[in-house]
């Protein structure tokens, strides 16, 4: 008992050797701990469970399951792959949507004017392609623009 | 760490893509063009850079002329109220509390280098709605509209000459 007392005192002064700490842990792992030392039992039992000894050399507990690390890595790579796919899809989407706004077009009474691209630059300036219908459209747009600039 | 940096770079690359897409589709008046542009009694004209590059700083022009009716007017007014929230009126004419004619710029500052405008008029039982974008500030809108009008006139005159 005195021995334990001294060992505990030395332990809290940071002066115990490995052997002495081993003695303390062994003592506190029994069910026969004196009443005055019961308060220290949880602490030494915790240390005992954390440290495994093999061949007299303390080693750390086994590392956390390698499966958990694999899952994290998988998750990260899946995230990168998803971002790349999203980037590609967005690019295709933009290409197609951008195309809609890069063309000139005319609808009259719900019908698209001319399958001969009447509103492209060449047709607009090429007199042969300006039909009566195109002229009505031009007149309408001239009126629109005049009404906002007069 | 490396993986996180790669993912961050990929995500940042997507911002301009989505920004480009949203620039065209964020406006409520798009609904008006989509709903009424291809209907009986409507004329819808969309001009893009292929035509507009010839002497105008307007980069995109879309106009709708359609017959006036109450649901259309309601949709347009609601759309205008939403779209011009961050913009300002360049001109507005009201009669009996209803907007007869108006020109709006959609933002005090350009998006990229372009300003967006909406022009709206109700006259003779016809609604005229114009959306355009251009690389010019609001005080030059009048001039750019004039240039575009001249382009149309030139072409139309050529046709008339031939006749």
């Amino acid at each position: 008992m005195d021995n334990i007392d001294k060992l505990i005192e030395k332990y809290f002064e940071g002066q115990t050797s490995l052997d002495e700490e081993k003695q303390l842990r062994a003592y506190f792992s029994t069910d026969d701990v004196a009443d005055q030392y019961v308060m220290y039992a949880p602490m030494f039992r915790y240390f005992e469970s954390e440290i495994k000894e093999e061949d007299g050399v303390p080693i750390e507990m086994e590392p956390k399951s390698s499966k958990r690390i694999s899952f994290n890595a998988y998750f990260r790579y899946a995230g990168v792959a998803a971002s790349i796919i999203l980037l590609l899809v967005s690019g295709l989407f933009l290409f197609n949507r951008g195309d809609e706004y890069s063309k000139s077009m005319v609808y009259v009474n719900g019908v698209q004017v001319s399958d001969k691209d009447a509103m492209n630059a060449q047709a607009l300036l090429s007199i042969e392609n300006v039909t009566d219908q195109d002229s009505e459209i031009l007149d309408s747009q001239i009126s629109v623009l005049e009404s906002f600039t007069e | 760490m490396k993986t996180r940096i790669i993912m961050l770079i990929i995500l940042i690359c997507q911002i301009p893509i989505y920004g480009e897409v949203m620039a065209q589709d964020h406006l409520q008046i798009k609904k008006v063009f989509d709903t009424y542009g291809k209907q009986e009694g409507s004329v819808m004209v969309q001009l893009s850079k292929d035509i507009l590059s010839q002497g105008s700083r307007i980069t995109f022009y879309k106009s709708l002329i359609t017959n006036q009716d109450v649901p259309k007017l309601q949709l347009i007014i609601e759309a205008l109220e939403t779209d011009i929230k961050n913009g300002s009126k360049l001109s507005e004419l009201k009669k009996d509390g209803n907007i007869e004619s108006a020109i709006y710029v959609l933002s005090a500052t350009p998006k990229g280098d372009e300003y967006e405008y909406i022009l709206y008029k109700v006259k003779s039982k016809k609604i005229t709605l114009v959306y355009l974008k251009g690389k010019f500030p609001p005080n030059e809108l009048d001039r750019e509209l004039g240039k575009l009008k001249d382009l149309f006139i030139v072409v139309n005159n050529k046709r008339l000459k031939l006749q």
Side-chain angles (χ1 to χ4, degrees), chain B residues 84-99:
Chain B
I84 64 170
K85 241 183 225 169
N86 298 320
S88 58
K89 279 180 252 187
L90 299 179
S91 70
E92 193 177 77
L93 189 67
K94 281 186 174 177
K95 189 177 179 183
D96 300 329
N98 300 315
I99 301 171

Side-chain angles (χ1 to χ4, degrees), chain A:
Chain A
M1 204 76 82
D2 279 344
N3 190 37
I4 294 296
D5 217 31
K6 282 179 186 160
L7 283 177
I8 289 172
E9 202 180 314
K10 273 182 87 175
Y11 180 83
F12 284 114
E13 285 172 0
Q15 290 176 356
T16 43
S17 66
L18 283 170
D19 267 343
E20 286 168 335
E21 284 176 18
K22 194 178 165 186
Q23 280 178 52
L24 282 167
R25 287 196 300 272
Y27 171 76
F28 282 102
S29 64
T30 66
D31 293 328
D32 205 19
V33 176
D35 289 343
Q36 67 264 41
Y37 303 132
V38 160
M39 71 194 90
Y40 303 120
M43 181 178 73
F44 286 103
R45 284 174 188 163
Y46 173 77
F47 288 145
E48 178 64 17
S49 70
E50 287 292 307
I51 297 171
K52 280 189 180 175
E53 199 167 13
E54 194 174 321
D55 296 332
V57 177
I59 59 171
E60 284 189 20
M61 290 285 284
E62 281 182 15
K64 287 182 182 174
S65 166
S66 60
K67 280 185 189 172
R68 192 170 168 186
I69 292 172
S70 297
F71 178 76
N72 283 340
Y74 168 77
F75 202 66
R76 281 199 300 273
Y77 292 127
V80 172
S83 299
I84 292 170
I85 291 167
L86 192 60
L87 184 64
L88 288 170
V89 169
S90 302
L92 277 169
F93 179 67
L94 170 67
F95 178 77
N96 289 328
R97 292 303 295 271
D99 203 44
E100 179 192 335
Y101 296 101
S102 65
K103 283 186 180 167
S104 298
M105 58 182 86
V106 176
Y107 280 85
V108 178
N109 291 324
V111 179
Q112 188 163 6
V113 166
S114 181
D115 52 6
K116 58 174 168 60
D117 296 320
M119 294 306 286
N120 70 29
Q122 206 171 0
L124 195 63
L125 296 176
S126 162
I127 196 60
E128 300 84 46
N129 289 323
V130 180
T131 64
D132 284 344
Q133 188 176 38
D134 294 337
S135 178
E136 280 176 25
I137 294 161
L138 289 168
D139 279 339
S140 71
Q141 298 310 300
I142 292 166
S143 299
V144 163
L145 294 166
E146 267 179 354
S147 72
F148 288 109
T149 54
E150 62 197 8

